[in-house]
Amino acid sequence: DGGITQSPKYLFRKEGQNVTLSCEQNLNHDAMYWYRQDPGQGLRLIYYSQIVNDFQKGDIAEGYSVSREKKESFPLTVTSAQKNPTAFYLCATTPGAGAGEAFFGQGTRLTVV
Amino acid sequence: QQQVKQSPQSLIVQKGGISIINCAYENTAFDYFPWYQQFPGKGPALLIAIRPDVSEKKEGRFTISFNKSAKQFSLHIMDSQPGDSATYFCAAENSGGSNYKLTFGKGTLLTVNP
């Protein structure tokens, strides 16, 4: 069953803690993306990676970090430097550069308690 | 800088009516314009997309109208149904760019009343 798996679905974090959100894909897509979704703000790009071992900052990268050691995996770490981390986080993939349709995971809802 | 502006922010339509959502873009290098549909608690899914070589694309009850000179495109949902109630995002992309990424509008929450 091909697709994108994000885990966990819900995540609670204490202030000052780092947390890592998982994104795994078996679509054999080259490019992967992390978006943050807040009410009324749409989808804002955090980081993206077009190939393994390479990634670029998106529009709101401050307080986040990523790695792309494997084609299938693109984990996102929300660090304690992120001042307002409570949000819905979405991982997406595309077959490659300029390849059209983006496929999204089901999202992780992060709440700071 | 908001490169894709979407309106309205929310829309209420009666069952059987026409829903219209509009988007405007600034970057003339954009050459791919998709619309995504998102249900609560789920990830967005591609609904329909258009490239600027055509002015209209229809798939079932969903139609994209594209006006290249005005740098605008819109989604029309004919015979709107309660099951269409969702958030809709327009997006744009420069598929020939070196750093490929979609730029999204802020979304429209559509409610279709029965």
Side-chain angles (χ1 to χ4, degrees):
Chain A
D1 187 20
I4 302 167
T5 301
Q6 288 189 242
S7 60
K9 188 175 178 65
Y10 299 97
L11 185 58
F12 296 89
R13 189 195 92 173
K14 293 182 179 179
E15 288 191 17
Q17 286 183 337
N18 294 352
V19 291
T20 297
L21 283 59
S22 171
C23 179
E24 302 282 332
Q25 58 110 349
N26 61 6
L27 300 171
N28 199 33
H29 286 177
D30 287 324
M32 299 186 73
Y33 311 79
W34 275 106
Y35 290 90
R36 169 177 172 148
Q37 185 173 17
D38 298 281
Q41 294 295 316
L43 302 173
R44 293 185 290 169
L45 184 63
I46 304 172
Y47 269 98
Y48 63 109
S49 168
Q50 294 178 323
I51 56 172
V52 175
N53 293 322
D54 187 46
F55 48 83
Q56 290 80 39
K57 292 182 179 180
D59 302 317
I60 56 166
E62 184 176 353
Y64 300 96
S65 65
V66 294
S67 63
R68 186 86 187 276
E69 298 177 358
K70 300 186 301 181
K71 187 175 184 178
E72 301 79 17
S73 178
F74 191 40
L76 173 73
T77 297
V78 184
T79 75
S80 57
Q82 170 50 233
K83 296 180 180 179
N84 185 21
T86 295
F88 189 51
Y89 291 87
L90 288 159
C91 177
T93 71
T94 57
E101 180 177 358
F103 294 81
F104 284 85
Q106 294 299 291
T108 292
R109 184 165 299 281
L110 173 63
T111 303
V112 173
V113 295
Chain B
Q1 180 187 10
Q2 185 183 355
Q3 294 197 56
V4 179
K5 294 183 179 180
Q6 183 172 346
S7 64
Q9 188 172 2
S10 62
L11 179 63
I12 299 175
V13 174
Q14 292 299 118
K15 179 182 177 181
I18 302 174
S19 304
I20 302 175
I21 305 171
N22 300 298
C23 283
Y25 63 97
E26 300 169 1
N27 188 346
T28 55
F30 287 151
D31 61 357
Y32 176 69
F33 303 90
W35 284 89
Y36 285 82
Q37 180 187 55
Q38 183 183 31
F39 294 104
K42 304 295 185 182
L46 180 68
L47 185 63
I48 187 173
I50 197 169
R51 295 195 181 270
D53 52 340
V54 295
S55 60
E56 185 175 282
K57 183 175 181 179
K58 183 176 181 180
E59 291 185 0
R61 296 184 293 110
F62 301 92
T63 300
I64 299 179
S65 297
F66 183 79
N67 186 330
K68 187 174 182 179
S69 61
K71 294 187 287 186
Q72 295 176 346
F73 58 109
S74 60
L75 175 69
H76 296 235
I77 305 175
M78 311 299 290
D79 187 26
S80 299
Q81 300 296 312
D84 297 331
S85 297
T87 300
Y88 292 82
F89 293 97
C90 63
E93 168 205 306
N94 174 11
S95 60
S98 58
N99 287 313
Y100 165 87
K101 56 180 179 176
L102 280 168
T103 300
F104 286 88
K106 291 191 173 184
T108 297
L109 177 62
L110 172 65
T111 301
V112 181
N113 289 327

